[in-house]
Amino acid sequence: MMKSLILQTATKLLFPLLLLFSIFLFLRGHNDPGGGFIGGLVGAAAFALFAISSGTEKARELLRIDPTFMIGLGLFFALLSGVISMYAGTPFLTGHWAFPMVFGAEMHLGSPILFDIGVYLVVVGFTLAVIFSLEEEG
Amino acid sequence: MDHLLTLPVLIPLLTGAIAFLFYKNGTVQRWIGLAGTVALLIASILLLVDVWSNGIQAEQFGNWPAPFGISFVADLLSSIMITISGVMGFVVAVYAVADIDKTREKFGFYPLYHILLMGINGTFLTGDIFNMYVWFEVMLISSFVLLALGNAKAQLDGAVKYVIINLVGSAIFLMGIGFVYGLTGTLNMAELSVRLNEVDNAGLVTTVSMFFMISFGIKAAVFPLFFWLPASYHTPPVAVSAIFAGMLTKVGVYTLIRAFTLLFTQEVAYTHHIILWISGLTMLIGVLGAAAQSEVRRILSFHIISQIGYMIMGLALYTPLALIGSVFYIVHHIIVKTNLFLVGGLARKLTGSYELKKMGGLYRYYPWLGVLFLIPAFSLAGFPPLSGFWAKFTLIYAALEIESYWIAGVALLVGLLTLYSMTKIWMAAFWTPLPGYENDTTGAGFNKIGPRDMFLLVTPIVILATLTIIIGLFPEPFYELSLKAAEELLDPTNYINAVLGK
């Protein structure tokens, strides 16, 4: 942990921005470059920055879920996206889509997004598990 | 549509994911781990039965048609390997409950163990050469962590060597994939099998095949690429060593067999002749290396290498009988070698050491352990009527049949030298009295193991020893299975049709 006023102030501003950007990148992955992996890295960067400026204890509190638990949860989501297609009688990981109307606009909702959520969680969980334990040792 | 083909990968993934969710609770992880491996074993047996009765099965992931998507294919060789890895996954998981300490449990032994099984099974099932690379990585990354888990100095030393050489191997594999894709424009193995024969410049294909031979050779630990194996396999706890010794190098052998029966059969006289030399030297150097060692796990590690020689000897001879021998040998070897590591681990728990000089007296106080050691040890050396006899007999007969006398001679000689090493372990660990307790008659020099742990440690050993005897006494069905697998390997038409759906 670094006791730096500049870093702490900057983090306060950057933290929500990074999280928003991470969600933006995640959703953008639907049809454009982006997705769970890169979104997850940016999301992890936000928490890593917080951990460096305010200590891992506070960062863990803010994250609420334990990083290792997140890895398991992510794997679970990814698995779910494949199993849904098996349940529907198609091969593993086949995409299934629904097109509900939300506020007058058509949504493209598909099972691949579950896989991407899984990737997002695994990336955030793994990165933070590594960074937190490195911070706590050093 | 049934999904048997995906289950051997899905079950360990689910088990691993749940183990991650309960990573703070060792008891839950152990039970989930055991339940997961039982489910995996059942699924893999069902897959074997299905493939045996209905022929080669294929499934296209994400419903993208082959050769564009990723295919999973189970022919007999794949399903035999899956089944045997299911058996090993189960017995080692049982052994691990008593063998893995609390620290390793806390740092994620169980999730990684199942991810490792997933990587192994994925490699066996995939029908896409790039996807195979991905499964290799899954397997390697989890094995890196399992190897280094616990942070002992020797472990890190071994893990660094293991990591570096295996990364080099993966890089060479990736280069080979790049070349193959450049030559043919496809990564699907069934499609490659057709297209590689249509490449104008056959010499180029043979050159590219060398990339695969080197990288798979590193994974299989053949001469002269085996140095990483004896440098690392003796460092982690026995449960980890045992699953590594049983399965990981055999994944390399499997990929070698797959690549040099399905893909690279353009200049058999050239490529398989190289493999023949490699196999002879691997056998010989491995067994000589073992003779120079005096630590149980190091002796056994060198024997893995020499036995790999036998398995690829069958591939090198490239006759139906020789391939039968190879498949039979892989099955026999995985069971026997894992068992020897497990027995070695139990002997270490009792005597407190892996060094032959510090061990002893086991036969006097634990005669049943002596019997349980002799079964896999004699089988490894090829004594009738144990499994190793039939495996060696088939291979040597196949060599004599096509008048490859020198390789048959080497195989026989190596069998004899194997016996020497096994006798060495027997004499030092079982026969001579425990050093420092020569005049003791109460067995005071041994560590005490509680009845629960003893049950968990001995059950896997008994299961594997029973399997060795069953294969030895009733080789017929196993021989039949290997025969059909070898036929499929020599004629890939069915494989190609099953994947491409023609």
Side-chain angles (χ1 to χ4, degrees), chain A residues 66 68-69 71-73 75-76 79 83 86 89-94, chain B residues 1 3 6 10 13-14 17-18 20-21 23-24 59-63:
Chain A
D66 190 277
T68 319
F69 188 82
I71 299 179
L73 208 61
L75 289 176
F76 209 73
L79 198 67
V83 172
M86 282 167 69
T90 45
F92 185 60
L93 284 177
T94 309
Chain B
M1 166 158 294
H3 298 284
T6 31
L10 285 191
L13 177 58
L14 181 66
I18 298 177
F20 263 124
L21 294 180
Y23 80 105
K24 275 185 182 152
E59 181 164 336
Q60 317 296 341
F61 273 13
N63 221 0

Side-chain angles (χ1 to χ4, degrees), chain A:
Chain A
M1 179 184 155
M2 282 167 71
K3 279 215 167 95
S4 150
L5 190 62
I6 299 175
L7 186 65
Q8 276 183 4
T9 318
T11 305
K12 263 183 202 154
L13 292 171
L14 280 172
F15 184 78
L17 272 181
L18 277 170
L19 278 188
L20 275 177
F21 186 52
S22 126
I23 293 168
F24 165 74
L25 275 176
F26 170 70
L27 292 174
R28 189 173 187 267
H30 193 69
N31 278 326
D32 293 303
F37 188 85
I38 184 75
L41 278 181
V42 175
F47 281 95
L49 201 61
F50 191 82
I52 293 168
S53 66
S54 311
T56 51
E57 212 167 290
K58 281 190 176 158
R60 277 186 198 276
E61 251 172 50
L62 194 65
L63 189 64
R64 284 162 202 254
I65 311 174
D66 190 277
T68 319
F69 188 82
M70 261 170 118
I71 299 179
L73 208 61
L75 289 176
F76 209 73
F77 267 102
L79 198 67
L80 195 66
S81 111
V83 172
I84 283 178
S85 25
M86 282 167 69
Y87 190 71
T90 45
F92 185 60
L93 284 177
T94 309
H96 286 274
W97 296 87
F99 303 98
M101 299 295 280
V102 180
F103 301 119
E106 198 186 47
M107 282 261 290
H108 289 229
L109 210 57
S111 62
I113 191 141
L114 285 174
F115 191 86
D116 236 14
I117 293 176
V119 174
Y120 187 95
L121 289 173
V122 171
V123 171
V124 173
F126 171 77
T127 318
L128 290 183
V130 172
I131 289 178
F132 284 175
S133 59
L134 284 178
E135 270 287 300
E136 279 156 13
E137 265 183 31

